[in-house]
Amino acid sequence: SEPIGGKPRFGSTAIIAALIILVFNCVYSAFPNNAALVLQQNGLGDASMAGIVNAVGTLGGLVAGLVLGKLLKYFQRVSLAVGVALMGIAMLAFAFAGNIVVAFIAAFGIGFALSIGFAQCPFIISISAAPALIPTAMAMYSIGSSLGGTVSPTLINAIAGATIGTTGSGCCAVAGAIALIACVVLLATRFQARVIDGAMTLEGER
């Protein structure tokens, strides 16, 4: 396969996109998995309130779907990094929320951030894979997404257990830290900018 930013075709870029959505879903899954525990530990509510908080997260995703088309023109080249950064900050805010308003805002941000990942990873695949291989690349994307949710409890709990403890807040804090690390990696490697530049270069040669 060609290197990132080179001639668009199925290869490392599609694999990395699948890994990115795996991270998105792994981090996000810590939110619904631990929402009730976080609210209870922080004295903000019980399981019924957790249902409302999860609904606010879903609302954040819906709003993102409506406005991302207009917003992405301002940060298209770093949208994945912005998405995981927002996810990380929102997860940390939720983990240590001192009142229900902060919890609602954090949940909204988590849902919004997840939608960025779900929108931009397929976009990266569509411009970096040869047309005939896009179905295969999308299958890898689906596997990455499913795998992220599957490994989340085991991975997050293991890291939390080895660091700050396997409380609900601890697990969400670990998830937030993972997201922020992913943001740094994406910015340092200029992954998305290089893919977009490579696709634009090829388009200009046609």
Side-chain angles (χ1 to χ4, degrees), residues 159-175:
I159 297 175
T163 53
I164 60 177
T166 54
T167 62
S169 294
C171 290
C172 286
V174 166

Side-chain angles (χ1 to χ4, degrees), residues 6 79 93 104:
S79 58
F104 283 155

Side-chain angles (χ1 to χ4, degrees), residues 40-110:
Q40 184 179 26
Q41 290 164 6
N42 293 354
L44 302 179
D46 53 15
S48 61
M49 182 57 71
I52 298 174
V53 168
N54 278 306
V56 172
T58 301
L59 177 63
L62 292 173
V63 171
L66 295 175
V67 303
L68 272 179
K70 294 181 179 180
L71 293 180
L72 282 174
K73 63 183 179 181
Y74 299 108
F75 57 92
Q76 177 74 74
R77 293 165 62 85
V78 292
S79 58
L80 289 172
V82 169
V84 287
L86 176 59
M87 180 80 76
I89 293 169
M91 287 294 292
L92 290 171
F94 182 71
F96 303 110
N99 60 69
I100 197 63
V101 174
V102 172
F104 283 155
I105 294 173
F108 186 92
I110 291 167

Side-chain angles (χ1 to χ4, degrees), residues 26 29 33 147-161 166 171 174:
C26 180
S29 294
N33 289 345
L147 190 59
T150 300
V151 304
S152 179
T154 302
L155 179 62
I156 299 296
N157 287 345
I159 297 175
T166 54
C171 290
V174 166

Side-chain angles (χ1 to χ4, degrees), residues 112-147:
F112 196 102
L114 183 66
S115 285
I116 294 177
F118 280 161
Q120 290 303 287
C121 283
F123 167 72
I124 290 297
I125 290 172
S126 71
I127 65 172
S128 63
L133 294 175
I134 286 178
T136 303
M138 289 303 298
M140 289 189 61
Y141 162 85
S142 297
I143 292 171
S145 179
S146 298
L147 190 59

